[in-house]
Amino acid sequence: MAQMIPNIVSPDIKSNAERKIFSWFRNDPKTVDWVVLHSLGISQHRKFICGETDFLVLVPNRGLFALEVKGGRVARKDGKWIYTDKYGNTHSKPRGPFEQAKDSIFSIINKIKRTPDLSCRNLRNVFFGFGVMFPDIEYEASGVDEEQSQVFDVRDGHKVGEFVERLFSYYQAKWERLHGSIEVDRFPTHEDIKYIAGVLRPDFDF
């Protein structure tokens, strides 16, 4: 079972999809020793004044994975993404969830690279990836901006751990195809992920 930070879902979170996925990460036996940051704000977003990632999953001997969650019905028309909730309410956005997840993880990695303590611990080159979770629908990747390996959907059931392992394998194969074998020090240890989590979402008492 993963260490969830925070260990409860904030009442401000209205997304039932996020609440389900939070529970699945917390209870999946495959996520033992993982750290999962839910609803992580990004004050130094690379494209916007501020941003957020729904889940940042830190996996020992694997890496960091930013996950965007989209519940309900999803469509894309004329380049715009259209989301429909359980009440039939719709809204559209020009940026899709894959772009959101990508921007989130690169913003987080940039933060890590600018943090002296993490650079000193040789974590500035930590392995990473991103994906999108559609827990309510079957989603078939289309176009050139996404791959099915980056997708979690209703067919995956509750198996969030298997999904992150699939993401890792996808990005590992992609890296090795372009650059050759991955240096082992890119994969964070158990101690490393706890340290990174402490930097990204630290405890304090002022």
Side-chain angles (χ1 to χ4, degrees):
M1 298 182 182
Q3 177 187 0
M4 307 299 295
I5 304 177
N7 61 5
I8 59 172
V9 180
S10 167
D12 295 332
I13 301 297
K14 306 304 181 186
S15 168
N16 288 329
E18 285 187 44
R19 290 179 176 276
K20 287 191 296 188
I21 290 169
F22 183 100
S23 175
W24 296 345
F25 270 116
R26 183 181 56 200
N27 298 322
D28 192 333
K30 286 186 175 293
T31 66
V32 172
D33 297 329
W34 296 16
V35 177
V36 179
L37 307 183
H38 177 224
S39 192
L40 179 65
I42 304 171
S43 62
Q44 298 178 22
H45 197 278
R46 70 177 192 158
K47 287 189 176 180
F48 301 99
I49 293 175
C50 60
E52 181 188 60
T53 187
D54 293 329
F55 291 92
L56 180 68
V57 185
L58 298 87
V59 186
N61 304 312
R62 295 292 186 265
L64 278 58
F65 301 91
L67 306 177
E68 184 71 18
V69 177
K70 295 299 180 188
R73 182 179 174 186
V74 179
R76 184 167 60 187
K77 183 175 177 60
D78 297 329
K80 289 186 177 181
W81 289 77
I82 303 166
Y83 306 104
T84 305
D85 66 20
K86 63 182 179 180
Y87 303 109
N89 300 316
T90 64
H91 66 280
S92 64
K93 292 183 177 180
R95 293 174 70 246
F98 294 91
E99 186 179 359
Q100 288 177 267
K102 179 184 70 175
D103 288 340
S104 292
I105 193 61
F106 277 102
S107 298
I108 291 165
I109 293 301
N110 287 341
K111 166 67 174 176
I112 289 173
K113 289 182 176 181
R114 291 193 301 267
T115 302
D117 287 350
L118 292 175
S119 292
C120 290
R121 291 172 67 95
N122 201 32
L123 294 173
R124 63 191 315 272
N125 293 319
V126 66
F127 195 73
F128 64 90
F130 65 91
V132 180
M133 306 182 79
F134 303 96
D136 301 328
I137 61 170
E138 291 187 13
Y139 183 93
E140 293 294 338
S142 59
V144 297
D145 53 353
E146 60 199 45
E147 295 283 347
Q148 195 65 35
S149 295
Q150 297 171 287
V151 172
F152 175 98
D153 69 13
V154 70
R155 292 168 291 186
D156 289 297
H158 301 176
K159 299 176 182 177
V160 291
E162 288 187 7
F163 168 58
V164 174
E165 287 287 351
R166 184 167 78 235
L167 265 186
F168 168 72
S169 297
Y170 167 74
Y171 282 105
Q172 181 185 36
K174 190 171 185 178
W175 175 277
E176 291 178 346
R177 186 169 63 250
L178 295 172
H179 307 292
S181 59
I182 306 172
E183 302 90 337
V184 68
D185 60 1
R186 285 184 176 270
F187 302 132
T189 65
H190 291 79
E191 181 183 352
D192 290 336
I193 65 168
K194 291 184 180 299
Y195 192 83
I196 294 171
V199 169
L200 296 177
R201 180 167 271 170
D203 294 334
F204 59 81
D205 184 0
F206 296 143

